[in-house]
Amino acid sequence: MRDAVTVYPFTSHAVVHAGVARVTLSGELDLDTAPMVHNAVADCLAERPTTLCFDLTDISFCDCAGLGSLLTARLTILGEGVDLVVEGIGSQLRRLLSLIGAEDLFTPKAAETDLGRARWASAGVASHRAAETEAALPTRPGTF
């Protein structure tokens, strides 16, 4: 019966090319679809990229389970030493991140290198390095 209430079905698309992985998510990211985020990220990381780009432009809805899958994916990506780039955070996801005090985890920040600035700034993209963002991770016992 879940499909009867899903307005925007969830889809994920993952591709790796020349060391850059791109995971495009769209639709409703919730308890039912959250595991697909892990699968897409795992498939990309198996290809050993240097950068992984999350395109969240078309996420129409995200609940706590969906948010948890994004945060877990972020930790996994950065833990592998892969740069994380995030594009297109909509107002609903931005508000959810803000409510838990995590808005800086997926928002645009200056790239660490001149190459990074040139590569990502014109596209309005954020680049986060594992070492730089590890201090900003939630440190509650029993999480992630």
Side-chain angles (χ1 to χ4, degrees):
M1 187 111 168
R2 172 78 178 141
D3 292 336
V5 297
T6 301
V7 177
Y8 300 102
F10 182 81
T11 62
S12 68
H13 178 72
V15 63
V16 180
H17 179 69
V20 177
R22 183 172 189 86
V23 175
T24 303
L25 305 176
S26 64
E28 297 181 7
L29 181 54
D30 57 21
L31 182 62
D32 293 334
T33 60
M36 294 180 189
V37 175
H38 170 77
N39 295 341
V41 168
D43 289 347
C44 287
L45 291 178
E47 299 291 323
R48 318 263 302 143
T50 57
T51 303
L52 190 143
C53 176
F54 258 137
D55 182 353
L56 306 175
T57 303
D58 293 325
I59 292 292
S60 58
F61 172 80
C62 183
D63 69 5
C64 293
L67 179 60
S69 70
L70 292 175
L71 292 172
T72 300
R74 179 184 177 277
L75 290 173
T76 301
I77 293 162
L78 297 177
E80 291 289 323
V82 175
D83 288 334
L84 174 61
V85 176
V86 180
E87 296 177 348
I89 297 177
S91 61
Q92 192 268 332
L93 181 54
R94 186 177 325 270
R95 174 152 166 70
L96 189 56
L97 289 167
S98 176
L99 287 171
I100 66 164
E103 58 269 17
D104 290 340
L105 297 181
F106 289 106
T107 56
K109 292 184 180 180
E112 296 77 26
T113 65
D114 290 336
L115 175 61
R117 279 188 213 96
R119 186 172 179 190
W120 303 115
S122 65
V125 175
S127 177
H128 303 274
R129 306 248 341 139
E132 181 182 17
T133 58
E134 197 165 279
L137 296 175
T139 56
R140 293 182 215 135
T143 59
F144 304 111

